[in-house]
Amino acid sequence: MKGVPLEDSSLTTSNIEEMGIMFSIRMHASRKIKSEKSKIKKTLNSKLSTLNSIHISGAEGIYEEADIQKVCGEYIKRALTHSRGMPDEIHITIEKIKGKPSRIPLLAVKTLKCSSADEAGKIITKRLSEMGIPEKAINDAFKVLKSRNVMRGASLMLAESGRRVEPDKNRGIRVSRMGIEKTAGRQLAQKLSKMRINSTTVNEALILASKVAAHPDIIAEVCISDDLDYTTGYIASNKFGYLRIPNIKRRGEMCGGRVFLIKENSDINRVIQYLEKMPVIIRMV
Ligand code: WAQ
Ligand code: MG
């Protein structure tokens, strides 16, 4: 990979054996809110200052050195053109990955038929109980997903007791350091185009869900978007793949979230370390 001119970077990427040093690139754009309340909070405790800014846009992936400039350009454009408005801070982190990222498969994608939030609830309940998750834990998962207090990350929930074990219940667990190999990315875009669902939302959700499902302690994930108008969610697991559920929420409903149901006896810290810190890249099938 080293010494290949930038314009020729694509030539080296189809052969995975030549995958050299990789970089995790992450973007986060936010805007400060100027309410009196937030000013007071800020003077009280500067650590709270993150609570005073609103999230505009975020994105991340794992890339080769030759693509860093291009990817950063795309991320900056995304941050500056988001429908949530103009950010006043854009953070880009470029971090060299030590060693080789783990290569994992992509989950198979399927869109289920579902015409209402009630029906979605039944579909999810059925799938989860078939996997041995008791009713109480399922209800606890729905409580998180339907709450108006939207978390930045996901809830980590023990699948038998329904106990929430994420250390910070407001923030949740943030899945990070995942990406897709270039060739696999192109294949995926083609596949999703044929299904008429080739959007960044679907691409990114599928990559995140594939990382989550690849951990042996994670039984299933349920996701509802926090966007008011994005009404398709999903349930995912290594067992049945990524099942898209239309009308999982009503248009305009103020909720959203992710719940990862994990084995009761999981090594919680290791699961968190994997989800937040371990570099994982989706490989070609
Ligand atoms: N790690 C963990 N949880 C996250 C992350 C992350 N990196 N990003 C978001 N969340 C949580 C957080 O609680 C959000 O409120 C919630 O997930 C939803 O996030 O096939 O758009 O970015 O059509 O709104 C899924 C369906 C779309 C895609 C998911 O999620 C499809 C979506 P959003
Ligand atoms: Mg959202």
Side-chain angles (χ1 to χ4, degrees), residues 131-134 137 156-163 165 212-221 238-239 260-269 271:
M131 299 180 101
I133 299 172
L156 203 59
M157 191 175 277
L158 301 183
E160 268 172 51
S161 58
R163 191 154 72 86
V165 293
V212 174
H215 195 286
D217 283 344
I218 299 179
I219 302 170
E221 172 189 355
N238 230 349
K239 289 249 159 56
F260 305 150
L261 290 145
I262 62 171
K263 290 181 184 161
E264 198 74 17
N265 62 357
S266 299
D267 184 335
I268 295 159
N269 289 330
V271 174

Side-chain angles (χ1 to χ4, degrees), residues 7-262:
E7 22 341 323
D8 272 341
S9 64
S10 60
L11 292 176
T12 59
T13 53
S14 58
N15 187 345
I16 189 60
E17 294 309 317
E18 288 179 32
M19 197 170 81
I21 301 162
M22 305 292 282
F23 292 80
S24 160
I25 308 181
R26 308 189 287 277
M27 178 276 286
H28 179 234
S30 60
R31 186 171 58 238
K32 292 266 181 307
I33 31 174
K34 300 179 197 78
S35 70
E36 282 308 311
K37 214 167 139 193
S38 70
K39 272 184 208 156
I40 296 163
K41 262 191 202 159
K42 207 169 181 177
T43 46
L44 281 177
N45 184 349
S46 62
K47 272 191 189 158
L48 282 174
S49 66
T50 50
L51 292 178
N52 303 326
S53 57
I54 56 162
H55 168 82
I56 301 278
S57 152
E60 72 167 279
I62 292 177
Y63 301 95
E64 295 169 19
E65 188 179 350
D67 293 324
I68 292 176
Q69 297 248 359
K70 193 182 93 196
V71 170
C72 289
E74 284 165 10
Y75 280 1
I76 292 166
K77 185 174 173 196
R78 238 170 108 166
L80 293 173
T81 56
H82 200 278
S83 60
R84 280 181 201 261
M86 193 65 178
D88 51 26
E89 263 184 39
I90 303 171
H91 291 265
I92 297 217
T93 306
I94 306 168
E95 182 186 75
K96 188 164 138 185
I97 290 173
K98 293 182 203 85
K100 285 208 165 91
S102 296
R103 299 170 65 231
I104 59 156
L106 188 78
L107 290 175
V109 188
K110 198 178 163 191
T111 303
L112 303 179
K113 281 205 168 59
C114 175
S115 54
S116 70
D118 281 349
E119 196 182 343
K122 284 181 191 137
I123 293 171
I124 294 163
T125 303
K126 182 162 181 281
R127 290 279 175 175
L128 295 180
S129 31
E130 277 168 6
M131 299 180 101
I133 299 172
E135 200 183 321
K136 183 197 172 286
I138 297 174
N139 290 338
D140 290 339
F142 277 117
K143 265 182 218 149
V144 174
L145 296 168
K146 292 287 180 176
S147 164
R148 292 171 66 100
N149 277 335
V150 173
M151 298 159 67
R152 269 201 353 102
S155 176
L156 203 59
M157 191 175 277
L158 301 183
E160 268 172 51
S161 58
R163 191 154 72 86
R164 290 175 62 177
V165 293
E166 67 276 15
D168 181 337
K169 305 269 179 308
N170 288 314
R171 174 184 179 270
I173 304 297
R174 293 278 304 172
V175 186
S176 180
R177 293 164 178 85
M178 61 278 190
I180 186 162
E181 281 171 16
K182 252 192 197 171
T183 322
R186 280 195 216 105
Q187 277 186 346
L188 176 60
Q190 272 178 13
K191 186 165 108 178
L192 295 179
S193 290
K194 276 187 198 148
M195 300 169 79
R196 298 174 184 281
I197 51 170
N198 187 28
S199 64
T200 39
T201 306
V202 177
N203 272 273
E204 288 172 357
L206 193 50
I207 292 168
L208 186 152
S210 297
K211 176 175 183 183
V212 174
H215 195 286
D217 283 344
I218 299 179
I219 302 170
E221 172 189 355
V222 186
C223 167
I224 300 181
S225 171
D226 56 24
D227 301 17
L228 295 183
D229 289 332
Y230 202 93
T231 56
T232 300
Y234 66 84
I235 177 167
S237 99
N238 230 349
K239 289 249 159 56
F240 48 69
Y242 179 95
L243 304 178
R244 304 179 68 238
I245 307 176
N247 304 304
I248 199 166
K249 72 187 245 184
R250 293 170 195 90
R251 203 165 287 279
E253 206 179 333
M254 294 276 271
C255 67
R258 280 184 160 95
V259 177
F260 305 150
L261 290 145
I262 62 171

